[in-house]
Amino acid sequence: MHRFYVSPEDWDPRAIGLRGSEAHHARDVLRLKAGEKVVLFNGRGCEITAEIADLAADEIRLRKLHEAETPPLRCAIVLGQAIPKGKNMELIVQKAVEIGAAEIAPIMSDRTIVQVDSDSVAHKQTKWQQIAIEAAKQCGQNWLPRVHAPKKLAEFFSASDHSFDLCLIGSLQPDAQPLKRVLGTYSSQRGDRPGTVLMLVGPEGDFTPAELALARRHGCQPITLGPIILRVETAAIYCLSVLSYELLI
């Protein structure tokens, strides 16, 4: 069944329907007909299976068949990703949703090749959030990650409303520790796995020494991703995959 996103502000299980771009996609692109079944989700764990009752010009009215709730993942992983060149950020957002990131925070590093000016911040955020929605539709994820507006690293730390159980930063520095060792140390010291994790991944050329020092002051532990230098998008997917395997299952 096709999946459609309804924002939490518009979510009303008593009167469900599709409007705007979602209605256009269902009616004019997928050419769904009355009687066909669809799935709606609100990005906050709620899901409704419904049957198309009527395809009006401005709204597709639905008849609810079943309602369910998906519990949140046991660990909230926040990806702080330095914006890479080209369309790699779009790939990273897509894969982050599929792997289970709770939030994605684009970072404008001093070594970021693609600089985002103040006029394009909102446009970039909207575009990446839409990519996250499409990825959640395709992979069956009922919890939609929030994509933040791009910020400098210092702005990210000052604006963050989180207190993380564990903060990590991918690093090429010689004192960086393997991720497995860092997670093992945390578990042995705390007797449990972390419930919230920040994972910072740098741009092409890594974070600058000043940015790494800033991250350290905010409690980030440098981790190595192995002997082979990874591309930015590979590093992000690698880190999220390992964290997902260790903390979400």
Side-chain angles (χ1 to χ4, degrees), residues 72-80 96-105 141 143-146 148 156 162 164-168 179 183 193-201 236-249:
L73 297 172
R74 70 166 309 280
C75 179
I77 303 172
V78 177
L79 173 65
V97 175
E98 294 176 8
I99 297 172
E103 297 179 36
I104 302 163
Q141 169 63 291
W143 286 90
L144 178 66
R146 175 188 174 191
H148 295 264
F156 167 76
H162 294 290
F164 299 100
D165 293 337
L166 182 64
C167 296
L168 307 169
L179 181 52
L183 293 175
R193 295 182 290 179
T196 55
V197 174
L198 169 64
M199 182 68 243
L200 291 175
V201 178
I237 295 170
Y238 170 86
C239 291
L240 290 176
S241 297
V242 173
L243 290 172
S244 174
Y245 177 79
E246 293 289 345
L247 304 178
L248 301 185
I249 299 176

Side-chain angles (χ1 to χ4, degrees), residues 148-200:
H148 295 264
K151 292 182 176 67
K152 291 283 190 180
L153 190 60
E155 294 173 332
F156 167 76
F157 281 122
S158 62
S160 178
D161 54 359
H162 294 290
S163 57
F164 299 100
D165 293 337
L166 182 64
C167 296
L168 307 169
I169 181 170
S171 176
L172 299 176
Q173 300 299 311
D175 64 339
Q177 299 293 310
L179 181 52
K180 184 180 179 75
R181 183 183 303 168
V182 172
L183 293 175
T185 299
Y186 181 96
S187 296
S188 62
Q189 292 178 346
R190 309 290 182 90
D192 196 7
R193 295 182 290 179
T196 55
V197 174
L198 169 64
M199 182 68 243
L200 291 175

Side-chain angles (χ1 to χ4, degrees), residues 42-222:
N42 70 351
R44 293 295 177 267
C46 297
E47 176 184 277
I48 289 177
T49 302
E51 181 181 76
I52 296 177
D54 180 53
L55 290 90
D58 59 343
E59 178 185 7
I60 296 178
R61 288 188 283 272
L62 305 169
R63 183 183 302 109
K64 182 170 70 172
L65 301 175
H66 177 70
E67 187 173 359
E69 288 195 15
T70 302
L73 297 172
R74 70 166 309 280
C75 179
I77 303 172
V78 177
L79 173 65
Q81 175 64 58
I83 301 171
K85 61 185 178 182
K87 294 186 176 182
N88 285 331
M89 190 66 190
E90 298 178 14
L91 173 66
I92 292 170
V93 169
Q94 180 188 66
K95 298 308 176 187
V97 175
E98 294 176 8
I99 297 172
E103 297 179 36
I104 302 163
I107 303 296
M108 294 183 290
S109 167
D110 292 339
R111 288 178 176 165
T112 296
I113 296 174
V114 179
Q115 294 299 321
V116 181
D117 56 40
S118 57
D119 295 333
S120 62
V121 163
H123 171 73
K124 290 287 189 183
Q125 181 183 16
T126 301
K127 181 179 180 180
W128 292 331
Q129 187 67 67
Q130 186 59 40
I131 290 171
I133 291 172
E134 295 302 322
K137 287 182 185 179
Q138 294 173 7
C139 71
Q141 169 63 291
N142 284 332
W143 286 90
L144 178 66
R146 175 188 174 191
V147 181
H148 295 264
K151 292 182 176 67
K152 291 283 190 180
L153 190 60
E155 294 173 332
F156 167 76
F157 281 122
S158 62
S160 178
D161 54 359
H162 294 290
S163 57
F164 299 100
D165 293 337
L166 182 64
C167 296
L168 307 169
I169 181 170
S171 176
L172 299 176
Q173 300 299 311
D175 64 339
Q177 299 293 310
L179 181 52
K180 184 180 179 75
R181 183 183 303 168
V182 172
L183 293 175
T185 299
Y186 181 96
S187 296
S188 62
Q189 292 178 346
R190 309 290 182 90
D192 196 7
R193 295 182 290 179
T196 55
V197 174
L198 169 64
M199 182 68 243
L200 291 175
V201 178
E204 296 87 351
D206 203 6
F207 286 113
T208 65
E211 290 171 329
L212 182 57
L214 174 65
R216 284 178 183 266
R217 290 198 297 273
H218 283 86
C220 291
Q221 300 182 53

